[in-house]
Amino acid sequence: MSIEINLEGKVAVVTGAGRGIGKSVAVVMAQAGADVVLAARTASQLDETAKEVRSMGQRALCLPTDVSQKSEVEKLMTAAVEELGGLHILVNNAGIVVPAPLFEMKEEDWDRVLAINLKSMFLCTQAAGRYMAKQKYGKIVNMASTGGIVARPNNASYHASKAAVIHFTKATAIEWIRYNINVNSIGPGTTDTELLDEFLQNSPREKTIKGIPIRRLADCMEVANIALFLASDLSSYLVGENIIVDGGLTIP
Ligand code: NDP
């Protein structure tokens, strides 16, 4: 006997789906049979992800969106429902990092990091949750980070945003489980993406890898598979959990 995750008939909205972890999340959702709404700002990257989703026989809707803007987020969720016929899964994945020592951190950069990493989760969750609550079904997966539980120098805005994502997840989860909406988060460790290079700021990858017990970076698919589990009914008793996927990085 084998266990299969089947998302046929489900519509998933994935933010930050143009590259990196979000692209892998979109692909893995399509592999499991979901139709996928792809959101990020760069249309050409969304088109590339859409090609992969369609090659699996699933529908893909590309919607260039800035997830920190309420009006754009509302259009995104409405389009999912009107054009793909539903909204069952939301993966709040879009995120940025703007490292700087605290004395040099610019106010506008602090605001931008908090807007894209945290406020976007409030906006997307609220807009998608209205549909999910009505249908009494929803799976919301928030991309946090190990940076939400441990801190390193020169990245206070990122660490603060990700710690807040973990607690926003718990607060939303406890409020919405009554609507049969499961809200959980993922805490990836060092994952092989463009964002990682910004995070490391010229520090060699080899040095970072030496500090990870598994001695390698995470592949995006290894994070996306956790999102798939959380989007499926296999995780039906998980409420407000933060699943760390970090190759042992944060084992004390
Ligand atoms: P990438 O930089 O590779 O991808 C980020 C995605 O988010 C892109 O598609 C980008 O597209 C999109 N995005 C950024 N800003 C916005 C915005 N305002 N509106 C809509 N989309 C936006 O990053 P990763 O794949 O590495 O990161 C994905 C998530 O995983 C982030 O939340 C990150 O914090 C988290 N994470 C990553 C880790 C890592 O080591 N890589 C570790 C822990 C957590 P565009 O710029 O075109 O909008």
mmCIF file of all heavy atoms in Angstrom, residues 14-24 26 36-40 45-46 49-50 93-94:
data_model
loop_
_atom_site.group_PDB
_atom_site.id
_atom_site.type_symbol
_atom_site.label_atom_id
_atom_site.label_comp_id
_atom_site.label_asym_id
_atom_site.label_seq_id
_atom_site.Cartn_x
_atom_site.Cartn_y
_atom_site.Cartn_z
ATOM 1 N N VAL A 14 0.050 30.725 -4.652
ATOM 2 C CA VAL A 14 1.425 30.710 -4.134
ATOM 3 C C VAL A 14 2.049 32.074 -4.389
ATOM 4 O O VAL A 14 2.161 32.512 -5.550
ATOM 5 C CB VAL A 14 2.272 29.612 -4.817
ATOM 6 C CG1 VAL A 14 3.688 29.589 -4.229
ATOM 7 C CG2 VAL A 14 1.609 28.240 -4.669
ATOM 8 N N THR A 15 2.468 32.752 -3.335
ATOM 9 C CA THR A 15 3.134 34.048 -3.529
ATOM 10 C C THR A 15 4.646 33.837 -3.611
ATOM 11 O O THR A 15 5.182 32.879 -3.051
ATOM 12 C CB THR A 15 2.791 35.055 -2.411
ATOM 13 O OG1 THR A 15 3.474 34.680 -1.209
ATOM 14 C CG2 THR A 15 1.298 35.136 -2.162
ATOM 15 N N GLY A 16 5.298 34.722 -4.339
ATOM 16 C CA GLY A 16 6.740 34.564 -4.569
ATOM 17 C C GLY A 16 7.011 33.341 -5.420
ATOM 18 O O GLY A 16 8.021 32.642 -5.248
ATOM 19 N N ALA A 17 6.122 33.098 -6.386
ATOM 20 C CA ALA A 17 6.187 31.848 -7.173
ATOM 21 C C ALA A 17 7.083 31.954 -8.400
ATOM 22 O O ALA A 17 7.145 31.026 -9.197
ATOM 23 C CB ALA A 17 4.774 31.443 -7.597
ATOM 24 N N GLY A 18 7.791 33.063 -8.561
ATOM 25 C CA GLY A 18 8.598 33.259 -9.764
ATOM 26 C C GLY A 18 9.935 32.539 -9.740
ATOM 27 O O GLY A 18 10.510 32.249 -10.787
ATOM 28 N N ARG A 19 10.443 32.267 -8.559
ATOM 29 C CA ARG A 19 11.765 31.610 -8.467
ATOM 30 C C ARG A 19 11.915 31.007 -7.065
ATOM 31 O O ARG A 19 11.031 31.143 -6.216
ATOM 32 C CB ARG A 19 12.887 32.611 -8.751
ATOM 33 C CG ARG A 19 12.915 33.788 -7.818
ATOM 34 C CD ARG A 19 14.095 34.737 -8.082
ATOM 35 N NE ARG A 19 14.167 35.752 -7.043
ATOM 36 C CZ ARG A 19 13.628 36.959 -7.131
ATOM 37 N NH1 ARG A 19 12.978 37.320 -8.213
ATOM 38 N NH2 ARG A 19 13.734 37.812 -6.127
ATOM 39 N N GLY A 20 13.021 30.331 -6.870
ATOM 40 C CA GLY A 20 13.373 29.832 -5.542
ATOM 41 C C GLY A 20 12.333 28.880 -4.957
ATOM 42 O O GLY A 20 11.744 28.054 -5.661
ATOM 43 N N ILE A 21 12.124 29.017 -3.672
ATOM 44 C CA ILE A 21 11.242 28.085 -2.949
ATOM 45 C C ILE A 21 9.817 28.145 -3.494
ATOM 46 O O ILE A 21 9.164 27.116 -3.684
ATOM 47 C CB ILE A 21 11.267 28.416 -1.427
ATOM 48 C CG1 ILE A 21 12.661 28.140 -0.846
ATOM 49 C CG2 ILE A 21 10.203 27.608 -0.686
ATOM 50 C CD1 ILE A 21 12.872 28.645 0.585
ATOM 51 N N GLY A 22 9.340 29.352 -3.781
ATOM 52 C CA GLY A 22 7.946 29.502 -4.247
ATOM 53 C C GLY A 22 7.699 28.790 -5.560
ATOM 54 O O GLY A 22 6.631 28.204 -5.781
ATOM 55 N N LYS A 23 8.687 28.839 -6.454
ATOM 56 C CA LYS A 23 8.553 28.126 -7.733
ATOM 57 C C LYS A 23 8.420 26.621 -7.473
ATOM 58 O O LYS A 23 7.555 25.953 -8.046
ATOM 59 C CB LYS A 23 9.778 28.422 -8.608
ATOM 60 C CG LYS A 23 9.710 27.782 -9.974
ATOM 61 C CD LYS A 23 10.880 28.219 -10.840
ATOM 62 C CE LYS A 23 10.739 27.681 -12.253
ATOM 63 N NZ LYS A 23 11.810 28.139 -13.136
ATOM 64 N N SER A 24 9.257 26.099 -6.590
ATOM 65 C CA SER A 24 9.180 24.661 -6.273
ATOM 66 C C SER A 24 7.851 24.317 -5.605
ATOM 67 O O SER A 24 7.296 23.248 -5.857
ATOM 68 C CB SER A 24 10.335 24.249 -5.357
ATOM 69 O OG SER A 24 11.548 24.365 -6.054
ATOM 70 N N ALA A 26 4.987 25.782 -6.147
ATOM 71 C CA ALA A 26 3.970 25.766 -7.214
ATOM 72 C C ALA A 26 4.046 24.461 -8.010
ATOM 73 O O ALA A 26 3.026 23.831 -8.308
ATOM 74 C CB ALA A 26 4.177 26.969 -8.136
ATOM 75 N N VAL A 36 -2.890 26.161 -10.011
ATOM 76 C CA VAL A 36 -2.076 27.076 -9.206
ATOM 77 C C VAL A 36 -2.161 28.518 -9.709
ATOM 78 O O VAL A 36 -2.043 28.775 -10.912
ATOM 79 C CB VAL A 36 -0.590 26.626 -9.190
ATOM 80 C CG1 VAL A 36 0.176 27.378 -8.118
ATOM 81 C CG2 VAL A 36 -0.452 25.132 -8.941
ATOM 82 N N VAL A 37 -2.354 29.422 -8.777
ATOM 83 C CA VAL A 37 -2.309 30.853 -9.070
ATOM 84 C C VAL A 37 -0.940 31.350 -8.634
ATOM 85 O O VAL A 37 -0.542 31.156 -7.478
ATOM 86 C CB VAL A 37 -3.425 31.615 -8.321
ATOM 87 C CG1 VAL A 37 -3.380 33.101 -8.666
ATOM 88 C CG2 VAL A 37 -4.780 31.026 -8.643
ATOM 89 N N LEU A 38 -0.221 31.974 -9.567
ATOM 90 C CA LEU A 38 1.171 32.349 -9.323
ATOM 91 C C LEU A 38 1.288 33.859 -9.151
ATOM 92 O O LEU A 38 0.921 34.619 -10.057
ATOM 93 C CB LEU A 38 2.025 31.903 -10.516
ATOM 94 C CG LEU A 38 1.858 30.427 -10.917
ATOM 95 C CD1 LEU A 38 2.442 30.178 -12.299
ATOM 96 C CD2 LEU A 38 2.504 29.522 -9.896
ATOM 97 N N ALA A 39 1.813 34.283 -8.017
ATOM 98 C CA ALA A 39 1.931 35.720 -7.753
ATOM 99 C C ALA A 39 3.359 36.099 -7.416
ATOM 100 O O ALA A 39 4.027 35.414 -6.632
ATOM 101 C CB ALA A 39 1.018 36.101 -6.589
ATOM 102 N N ALA A 40 3.828 37.164 -8.023
ATOM 103 C CA ALA A 40 5.109 37.825 -7.697
ATOM 104 C C ALA A 40 5.109 39.073 -8.571
ATOM 105 O O ALA A 40 4.164 39.285 -9.345
ATOM 106 C CB ALA A 40 6.308 36.934 -8.004
ATOM 107 N N GLN A 45 9.214 35.778 -14.890
ATOM 108 C CA GLN A 45 9.531 34.620 -14.034
ATOM 109 C C GLN A 45 8.277 33.796 -13.752
ATOM 110 O O GLN A 45 8.328 32.559 -13.695
ATOM 111 C CB GLN A 45 10.180 35.085 -12.726
ATOM 112 C CG GLN A 45 11.557 35.701 -12.964
ATOM 113 C CD GLN A 45 12.328 35.997 -11.687
ATOM 114 O OE1 GLN A 45 11.772 36.039 -10.596
ATOM 115 N NE2 GLN A 45 13.620 36.228 -11.826
ATOM 116 N N LEU A 46 7.158 34.474 -13.598
ATOM 117 C CA LEU A 46 5.904 33.736 -13.383
ATOM 118 C C LEU A 46 5.587 32.874 -14.604
ATOM 119 O O LEU A 46 5.112 31.740 -14.476
ATOM 120 C CB LEU A 46 4.736 34.704 -13.123
ATOM 121 C CG LEU A 46 4.810 35.516 -11.826
ATOM 122 C CD1 LEU A 46 3.590 36.431 -11.712
ATOM 123 C CD2 LEU A 46 4.895 34.609 -10.606
ATOM 124 N N THR A 49 7.449 29.632 -14.441
ATOM 125 C CA THR A 49 6.831 28.693 -13.491
ATOM 126 C C THR A 49 5.553 28.111 -14.095
ATOM 127 O O THR A 49 5.288 26.904 -13.983
ATOM 128 C CB THR A 49 6.503 29.409 -12.156
ATOM 129 O OG1 THR A 49 7.681 30.053 -11.675
ATOM 130 C CG2 THR A 49 6.009 28.418 -11.105
ATOM 131 N N ALA A 50 4.786 28.974 -14.757
ATOM 132 C CA ALA A 50 3.505 28.518 -15.352
ATOM 133 C C ALA A 50 3.750 27.417 -16.377
ATOM 134 O O ALA A 50 2.980 26.452 -16.454
ATOM 135 C CB ALA A 50 2.788 29.700 -15.990
ATOM 136 N N ASN A 93 4.558 32.921 0.701
ATOM 137 C CA ASN A 93 5.990 32.610 0.605
ATOM 138 C C ASN A 93 6.857 33.827 0.267
ATOM 139 O O ASN A 93 8.037 33.844 0.595
ATOM 140 C CB ASN A 93 6.171 31.509 -0.455
ATOM 141 C CG ASN A 93 7.598 31.383 -0.901
ATOM 142 O OD1 ASN A 93 8.440 30.819 -0.205
ATOM 143 N ND2 ASN A 93 7.901 31.948 -2.072
ATOM 144 N N ALA A 94 6.295 34.836 -0.392
ATOM 145 C CA ALA A 94 7.116 35.977 -0.848
ATOM 146 C C ALA A 94 7.885 36.576 0.326
ATOM 147 O O ALA A 94 7.353 36.737 1.424
ATOM 148 C CB ALA A 94 6.224 37.038 -1.474
#
